[in-house]
């Protein structure tokens, strides 16, 4: 049977950055990714905003600030792959009453480029992991294309991590990518009907997001498109009629209490869990990757 020091299940924002960090520390690491429709990284905006999204005053705020602090060095390391990740400083907040506040410490980036850059230096195999079976001090990884034996497994399968005995589910988000809109940087508006409204200029167009619904559906719907068009009109005057380049749908991995799970699996020895990052996976990924490296620990030469 093929054998590796570390097998990472899922090559999304969390899995690919954990694997990238392990690889840089000298680990023999393999990523298995099922290329699931609805993977959150393909639909994520890329805002790095510890002061938005109801983080301030929660136990996650310190990690969010630390994630933001770590991003410039991580982005530089990723870009050595030749893939730019489009890290841009500055977020503008449009507040009720027309007031505008610029938060220069916050930033944005392009999540699909982050994943592509991280994967470039890694071995990534297209495989759907079906079972994790502890055996002989390591873990047997059963997939649709055969088995691997791993010293350690990092479970980072996003919303699908729940299939492996941890309390993680899905919260769907939809967003639009519009063509031909002006470059506005990143803008946050006042929430509407409880949803955050934001727009940011990215290499693939003007991103406008995002809805939030308790469903596993990964097909876009007209109701969301209409709400997102309204958000575009509010945030970027003139952009409401712009041509749609893509209607994105992603499943945010969520936990019952809203906090990510990063630590040993409750029942499977040899398996570390890194899942449930909800709305904040891009922001928190550098901190989670550092924790995974520390947990994989002694066996990995730093
Ligand atoms: C609309 C939207 C906007 C967002 N905006 C932001 C933002 O601005 N800032 C921010 O910080 N976060 C944002 N997020 C959240 C962020 O995208 C997630 O927190 C993050 O992607 C979670 O990373 P992950 O690797 O855990 O899951 P994912 O990114 O979903 O990746 C999971 C990976 O696991 C693979 N997989 C699943 N099952 C298996 C299996 N059995 N075997 C092998 N592989 C498997 C999938 O194919 C996938 O590639 C947003 C999300 C959405 C949906």
């Amino acid at each position: 049977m093929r054998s590796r020091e570390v097998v990472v299940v899922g090559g999304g924002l969390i899995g690919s950055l954990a694997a990238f960090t392990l690889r840089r520390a000298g680990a023999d690491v393999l990523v298995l990714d099922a290329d699931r429709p609805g993977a959150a990284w393909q639909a994520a905006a890329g805002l790095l905003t510890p002061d938005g999204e109801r983080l301030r005053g929660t136990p996650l705020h310190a990690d969010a600030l630390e994630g933001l602090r770590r991003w410039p060095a991580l982005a530089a390391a990723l870009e050595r792959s030749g893939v730019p990740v489009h890290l841009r400083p500055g977020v503008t907040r449009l507040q009720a009453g027309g007031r505008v506040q610029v938060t220069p410490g916050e930033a944005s980036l392009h999540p699909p480029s982050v994943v592509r850059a991280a994967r470039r230096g890694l071995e990534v195999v297209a495989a759907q992991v079906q079972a994790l079976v502890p055996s002989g001090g390591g873990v047997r990884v059963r997939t649709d294309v055969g088995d691997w034996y791993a010293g350690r497994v990092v479970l980072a399968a996003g919303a699908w991590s729940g299939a492996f005995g941890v309390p993680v589910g899905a919260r769907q988000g939809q967003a639009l990518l519009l063509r031909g809109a002006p470059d506005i940087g990143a803008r946050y508006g006042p929430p509407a009907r409880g949803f955050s409204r934001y727009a940011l200029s990215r290499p693939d167009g003007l991103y406008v997001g995002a809805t939030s619904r308790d469903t596993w559906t990964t097909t876009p719907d007209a109701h969301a498109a209409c709400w997102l068009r309204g958000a575009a009109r509010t945030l970027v005057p003139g952009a409401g009629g712009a041509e749609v380049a893509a209607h994105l749908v992603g499943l945010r991995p969520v936990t019952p209490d809203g906090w990510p799970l990063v630590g040993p699996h409750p029942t499977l020895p040899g398996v570390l869990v890194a899942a449930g990052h909800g709305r904040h996976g891009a922001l928190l990924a550098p901190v989670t990757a550092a924790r995974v490296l520390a947990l994989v620990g002694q066996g990995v030469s730093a």
Side-chain angles (χ1 to χ4, degrees), residues 89-95 99-106 186:
V91 173
T92 303
R93 290 174 193 283
L94 311 177
Q95 292 165 332
R99 278 173 300 131
V100 172
Q101 183 199 4
V102 179
T103 47
E106 295 187 318

Side-chain angles (χ1 to χ4, degrees), residues 3-7 26-29 149-153 296-297 299-301:
S3 166
R4 304 301 289 257
E5 190 177 1
V6 185
V7 168
D28 163 38
V29 55
Y149 184 77
R152 288 289 172 93
V153 165
V296 168
V300 181
S301 53

Side-chain angles (χ1 to χ4, degrees), residues 210-231:
T211 63
S212 183
R213 265 179 69 205
D214 273 321
T215 172
W216 282 87
T217 309
T218 57
T219 43
D221 65 76
H223 182 72
C226 178
W227 185 85
L228 291 162
R229 281 267 186 210

